[in-house]
């Protein structure tokens, strides 16, 4: 029998606010243990929380980007449990009235996927606080607790069980990461734990319309591990069913060294936590005006720009994806493409501009860790640079590689001027090229005869001679055309 994998994700995203969700302690990652703490993070008796309004704003932003309904009256609840890294004895989270309800995310999955562009429904998104961190490897006989993370704001994005395999999980996580970075609400850094997910997995016979029992694998903070964990868990569940057993609903961990999942505890239910409304925080009322302000300030969304790069500017899906990876680059690319269309009307420089950004700007930006829009080369110079390439004045040859470094060094100078000074321009001037071709053909009458008898491979040799005579300035396409005309 063949089985279908069913997955739902609970993704935790750490918000990049300056302070924690209910007090003014720093929310920054790292710091010496127990330095980002106050009596509130430590849950001293009598202290009261106060909501960080940036956290609400960030939740609303993500909700709008994912097409969720924004709950106009949202409140916090207590989730009660005992653990050493949770000094309050409860986590302040949202149960009954989360900030965002519904919404969806369309995945870009490649041709190897079973389904193309599946739409993954979002169940809801809620705000909550993170717990502290227990460290078991710092002292031989003791566990240590760092409460710096206690109270750091998190968004939990809960998907419907709409994902069908590790490839879709990876695409979903990548899309969420791009979106939170794009909106500037989180650094989406999985290595530092600012993005992690609990993976709920079940399997069912192909074609079945009911779900199987699920297991939840906790705290995956690497895409590579998540993929391995899913593959292992799917095989485990199938083997269990095939051997006549049943999958018990439970919470499991992933053992990185063994590549296996193991049981942590039986699945707890909502009533185990005795959720109840947080009495120390008033409900949050979201006004129409507040929503409008956030909507107005929203940047264009990545999926929309990526689409526009293809439809409005004819870029390939690959190029569009490269340019829309990150907001700063995408907005800069959009500005260049728009300006170029006006500056060189009737000429399509889009592909050349995309190439320059992908091959020159992005590597430069990554190497120096500088935002693309902080590149000293002004937009109009990028466009003229593209125009020189497109019109054949500037070759893609080794010599021309000197132009970009020169542009970075003297960003005020027009690239045409720089190329002239550096002697990088090539000629597509027919009179000049015809004269060179005539000279070369006159020097090799034997080869010309051979060519005419059918030895077409000699074209390359003639090209080489014309290049030499022009000192590398002959524009190859025009030269080839003239050579073929004269030889033919
Ligand atoms: P709980 O409240 O017990 O955590 P939920 O119904 O809220 O359970 O679901 C939690 C997550 O598990 C969601 O992301 C959901 O999509 C996913 N999920 C629910 N049922 C299944 C299933 N049968 N197989 C895989 N994932 C599931
Ligand atoms: Mg849950």
């Amino acid at each position: 029998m063949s089985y279908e994998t069913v997955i739902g994700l609970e993704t935790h995203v750490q918000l990049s606010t300056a302070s924690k969700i209910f007090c003014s302690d720093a929310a920054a990652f790292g710091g010496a243990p127990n330095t980002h703490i106050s009596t509130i993070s430590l849950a001293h008796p009598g202290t009261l929380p106060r909501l960080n309004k940036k956290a609400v704003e960030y939740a609303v932003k993500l909700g709008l980007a994912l097409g969720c309904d924004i709950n106009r009256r949202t409140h916090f609840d207590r989730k009660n449990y005992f653990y050493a890294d949770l000094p309050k004895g409860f986590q302040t989270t949202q149960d009954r009235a989360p900030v965002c309800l519904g919404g969806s995310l369309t995945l870009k999955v490649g041709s190897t996927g079973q389904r193309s562009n599946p739409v993954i429904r979002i169940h809801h998104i809620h705000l909550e606080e993170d717990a502290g961190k227990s460290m078991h490897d710092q002292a031989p006989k003791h566990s240590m607790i760092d409460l710096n993370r206690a109270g750091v704001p998190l968004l939990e994005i809960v998907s419907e069980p709409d994902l069908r395999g590790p490839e879709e999980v990876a695409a979903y996580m990548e899309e969420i990461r791009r979106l939170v970075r794009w909106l500037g609400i989180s650094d989406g850094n999985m290595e530092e734990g600012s993005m992690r997910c609990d993976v709920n997995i079940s399997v069912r016979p192909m074609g079945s319309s009911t779900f199987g029992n699920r297991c939840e694998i906790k705290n995956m903070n690497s895409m590579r591990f998540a993929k391995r964990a899913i593959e292992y868990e799917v095989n485990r569940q199938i083997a269990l069913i095939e051997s006549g057993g049943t999958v018990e609903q439970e919470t499991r961990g992933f053992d990185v060294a063994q590549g296996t999942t193991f049981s942590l505890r039986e699945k707890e239910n909502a009533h185990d936590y005795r959720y109840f409304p947080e009495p120390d925080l008033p409900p949050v009322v979201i006004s129409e005006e507040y929503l409008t302000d956030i909507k107005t300030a929203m940047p264009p969304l990545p999926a929309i720009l990526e689409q526009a790069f293809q439809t409005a500017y004819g870029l390939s899906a690959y190029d569009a994806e490269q340019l829309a990876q990150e907001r700063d680059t995408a907005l800069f690319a959009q500005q260049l493409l728009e300006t170029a269309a006006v500056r060189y009307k009737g000429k399509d420089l889009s592909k050349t501009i995309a190439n320059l950004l992908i091959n020159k700007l992005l590597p430069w930006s990554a190497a120096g860790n500088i935002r693309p829009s902080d590149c000293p080369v002004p937009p109009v110079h990028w466009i003229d640079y593209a125009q020189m390439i497109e019109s054949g004045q500037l070759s893609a040859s080794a010599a021309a590689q000197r132009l970009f470094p020169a542009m970075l060094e003297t960003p005020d100078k027009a690239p045409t001027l720089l190329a002239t000074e550096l002697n990088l321009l090539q000629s597509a001037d027919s009179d000049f090229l015809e004269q060179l071709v005539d000279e070369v053909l006159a020097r090799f009458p034997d080869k010309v005869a051979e060519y005419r008898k059918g030895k077409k491979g000699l074209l390359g040799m003639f090209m080489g001679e014309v290049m030499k005579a022009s000192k590398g300035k002959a524009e190859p396409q025009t030269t080839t055309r003239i050579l073929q005309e004269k030889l033919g």
Side-chain angles (χ1 to χ4, degrees):
M1 193 188 299
S2 72
Y3 288 85
E4 182 177 46
T5 304
V6 173
I7 298 174
L9 291 183
E10 293 163 280
T11 310
H12 291 91
V13 173
Q14 185 174 318
L15 297 179
S16 51
T17 53
S19 55
K20 292 186 179 176
I21 185 166
F22 300 122
C23 69
S24 60
D25 299 348
F29 174 79
N34 298 308
T35 50
H36 302 167
I37 52 169
S38 62
T39 51
I40 299 179
S41 294
L42 294 175
H44 281 199
T47 53
L48 285 172
R50 184 161 172 198
L51 179 60
N52 181 340
K53 70 176 174 193
K54 257 297 184 252
V56 178
E57 180 189 318
Y58 286 0
V60 169
K61 275 190 174 156
L62 184 62
L64 290 174
L66 289 170
C68 307
D69 287 328
I70 306 300
N71 225 335
R72 302 298 291 275
R73 190 181 163 90
T74 171
H75 72 255
F76 289 87
D77 299 283
R78 290 187 180 183
K79 178 180 181 179
N80 301 279
Y81 65 94
F82 173 81
Y83 203 75
D85 60 21
L86 187 79
K88 292 197 295 187
F90 59 85
Q91 180 194 28
T92 306
T93 178
Q94 298 193 294
D95 183 40
R96 288 290 180 80
V99 184
C100 316
L101 293 169
S104 67
L105 187 62
T106 303
L107 302 186
K108 291 183 291 178
V109 270
S111 49
T112 52
Q114 293 178 322
R115 313 187 286 169
S116 62
N117 306 105
V119 176
I120 310 304
R121 291 165 303 152
I122 306 292
H123 183 272
H124 76 266
I125 304 174
H126 69 257
L127 269 169
E128 63 185 25
E129 62 182 341
D130 209 343
K133 200 161 71 186
S134 305
M135 294 174 289
H136 310 293
D137 55 357
Q138 308 282 307
K141 292 198 170 162
H142 297 91
S143 285
M144 310 290 237
I145 294 169
D146 176 9
L147 291 172
N148 283 354
R149 211 179 59 185
V152 163
L154 298 179
L155 276 183
E156 180 173 335
I157 306 152
V158 181
S159 85
E160 296 285 0
D162 286 350
L163 295 148
R164 292 292 173 266
E167 196 196 34
E168 292 187 6
V169 169
Y172 176 93
M173 292 298 281
E174 273 157 25
E175 198 59 33
I176 296 275
R177 183 172 56 188
R178 170 166 79 159
L179 201 51
V180 297
R181 286 182 175 168
W182 190 282
L183 296 171
I185 65 175
S186 170
D187 61 27
N189 195 334
M190 287 190 97
E191 298 74 54
E192 290 181 0
S194 4
M195 214 176 122
R196 39 190 204 267
C197 65
D198 302 337
V199 187
N200 296 271
I201 306 177
S202 64
V203 296
R204 62 178 173 185
M206 201 57 93
S208 157
S209 58
T210 51
F211 289 136
N213 277 348
R214 73 180 191 268
C215 289
E216 174 172 0
I217 309 175
K218 278 289 186 200
N219 261 324
M220 304 302 317
N221 65 353
S222 135
M223 274 328 303
R224 208 157 47 87
F225 293 160
K227 184 167 183 280
R228 281 171 56 200
I230 293 167
E231 279 163 0
Y232 177 86
E233 182 58 21
V234 165
N235 289 330
R236 187 189 72 87
Q237 292 186 12
I238 292 174
L240 198 59
I241 295 169
E242 295 273 281
S243 66
T246 46
V247 175
E248 296 300 334
Q249 190 176 330
E250 63 182 355
T251 303
R252 298 177 73 85
F254 178 61
D255 182 330
V256 175
Q258 305 287 323
T260 58
T261 64
F262 58 94
S263 181
L264 282 171
R265 54 179 183 264
E266 276 174 30
K267 171 74 186 169
E268 61 285 334
N269 285 306
H271 65 251
D272 295 326
Y273 292 113
R274 206 169 63 90
Y275 280 97
F276 63 85
E278 166 62 67
D280 288 343
L281 286 163
V284 179
V285 176
I286 292 176
S287 70
E288 194 61 52
E289 199 188 356
Y290 177 84
L291 270 187
T292 311
D293 285 351
I294 293 184
K295 274 183 202 157
T296 320
M298 286 274 279
L301 296 175
I304 296 191
L305 270 191
E306 189 175 331
Q307 194 59 46
F309 287 153
Q310 295 175 63
T311 48
Y313 298 105
L315 298 184
S316 67
Y318 178 80
D319 285 356
E321 182 175 299
Q322 299 292 302
L323 295 177
Q325 241 346 287
E326 185 265 317
R327 184 176 70 178
D328 197 55
T329 309
L331 293 179
F332 188 61
Q334 188 192 30
Q335 183 197 358
L336 287 192
L337 293 168
E338 260 173 22
T339 315
V342 176
R343 189 171 168 88
Y344 293 103
K345 266 197 214 74
K347 259 201 175 162
D348 187 8
L349 296 180
S350 304
K351 176 67 191 154
T352 312
I353 287 175
N355 282 343
L356 285 181
L357 295 181
I358 293 167
N359 300 323
K360 302 277 184 220
L361 180 64
L362 293 183
W364 171 84
S365 154
N369 199 15
I370 309 168
R371 281 157 30 117
S373 60
D374 287 337
C375 178
V377 175
V380 76
H381 287 181
W382 282 105
I383 295 168
D384 290 349
Y385 184 11
Q387 151 68 14
M388 274 195 286
I389 294 173
E390 187 63 30
S391 64
Q393 285 172 278
L394 193 65
S395 74
S397 74
Q401 299 300 325
R402 285 161 56 205
L403 184 57
F404 183 56
M407 286 168 72
L408 287 168
E409 220 158 274
T410 45
D412 298 336
K413 223 176 233 181
T416 36
L417 200 63
L418 271 177
T420 314
E421 284 178 10
L422 292 170
N423 212 9
L424 300 178
L425 293 182
Q426 59 185 8
S427 179
D429 177 73
S430 313
D431 289 347
F432 167 71
L433 290 177
E434 270 183 44
Q435 205 182 328
L436 287 180
V437 168
D438 286 342
E439 274 170 33
V440 167
L441 298 188
R443 265 196 287 138
F444 297 99
D446 305 354
K447 304 274 181 211
V448 172
E450 282 178 46
Y451 179 93
R452 288 185 176 143
K453 276 196 206 122
K455 208 169 165 192
K456 301 292 183 218
L458 283 169
L459 188 67
M461 171 256 156
F462 290 123
M463 263 305 278
E465 287 299 326
V466 176
M467 259 317 156
K468 233 189 276 171
S470 75
K471 298 193 172 59
K473 299 241 165 54
E475 191 275 311
Q477 246 175 315
T478 319
T479 309
T480 308
R481 185 177 46 76
I482 295 174
L483 264 172
Q484 280 169 334
E485 274 168 19
K486 302 236 175 206
L487 283 164

